[in-house]
Amino acid sequence: MNERLLTPISTAELERRWAAVRKEMQERGIDALVMQNSNDWLGGYVKWFTDLPAVNGYPRTVIFYADDPMSMIEMGAHGGRRDLKGGDEVHRGVGELLTTPAFTSVAYTDEYQAEIAVDALEHRGCRSIGFVGKGAMPYRFVARIEQDLGGCAKFIDATEFVDRLKAIKSEEERDLIRKAAQMQDEVFTRVLKKIEPGMTDNDVTALAQYEGRLLGSEQGLFLGSSAPLGQASRFIDRHLQARSLKPGEHFTLLIENNGPGGFYTEIARTIVLGKASNELIDGFESMKEAQAHTLRLLKPGASCAKIAESHDEYMRGRALPPELRLYCHGQGYDLVERPLVRCDETMTIEEHMNLAVHPGYETPSIFAVICDNYLIESDGPGACLHKTAKQVFEV
């Protein structure tokens, strides 16, 4: 395979995915699936079908046909076209690579990719078209396709069955997910060795990103902040990470980058530059227990809504706040993918899902959190994928 590819997925794995999708398409009478992503944080559909991520806000459109190699539309010259016939070693499974200079920041180019997609769908006589992740696509992209083809084609939302196929990981995918967690353990170890007073919050997260890139990561989030003991040390993004660490303070760090192959896991721990307070340790231990409570419920066939309800009861029983956002969810090529363990999720837990479990709570004096990943086995979660000790670290 091309030497420029960084940890490519195998062609056999891609073919497994394509066959599973085409089986579902045949059962539903779907001629083509249309998807578009523009980033590799929450844009995993394109990556899952092609092993090529969408990046940097530049839209990449993929049309997956029931009986033909894919069409791919991306940034490039006006009218660009390469006939690959499904045999290119980088664009595997792609029959034609089409280009146009469209930018999401330039409104008059909003329909450029849609015009090309319409032509490709018309050329193949597609009459039943499924959108995948329609809510993440630009409005004018979707509207133009529906407007131009609405007289001869019907449109359906195909996201649900694709989501389920993505959520259940193959053996090859599970192996790469384990490697992502191992990478994050090593990143955290390297940060522990180098964190010191005088570093800014940005210095710490930049160090984590740097070490991850050396270990094969391509993308991710690195959230955290420092604070004196007695003040909450929250997950904060780069724009607010100018503060400098001082002796005796603590830092809560989230490492949520993808590993070799592009699969995400995430780990969160708290580091104290000195001696941890009892409040901080007690808060962490309470979330460690909350994590264990959820893990006992994560069994194949379990209802995500009922697990979330049980977690909230657990928290309330300890005078802690219920979860109002998201504390447990699937991961793969997306930082967050289904299933979500909360009241509005209809998908159930299944074997071979990859779940991040990160209960937490915040008060003015403490931000208590723990985060680790688990693969679901036939009788429940396997061993924690992260081997980093579940503790508050004192350095």
Side-chain angles (χ1 to χ4, degrees), residues 237-294:
D237 210 342
R238 285 275 169 78
H239 186 65
L240 298 174
Q241 290 180 354
R243 186 182 188 276
S244 295
L245 270 159
K246 300 175 181 63
E249 296 187 336
H250 65 307
F251 190 100
T252 303
L253 176 63
L254 173 69
I255 300 170
E256 193 174 8
N257 55 344
N258 59 19
F263 287 95
Y264 282 98
T265 56
E266 55 179 322
I267 184 171
R269 296 290 189 272
T270 298
I271 305 168
V272 183
L273 300 184
K275 184 69 174 174
S277 67
N278 289 337
E279 181 186 30
L280 190 61
I281 292 174
D282 290 347
F284 180 85
E285 289 297 323
S286 68
M287 291 304 94
K288 181 178 172 181
E289 293 172 7
Q291 186 188 65
H293 175 77
T294 288

Side-chain angles (χ1 to χ4, degrees), residues 1-20:
M1 193 171 293
N2 191 293
E3 64 181 357
R4 296 187 182 277
L5 290 174
L6 184 63
T7 317
I9 204 80
S10 72
T11 300
E13 168 60 20
L14 286 174
E15 290 173 343
R16 180 197 70 82
R17 298 172 187 175
W18 300 336

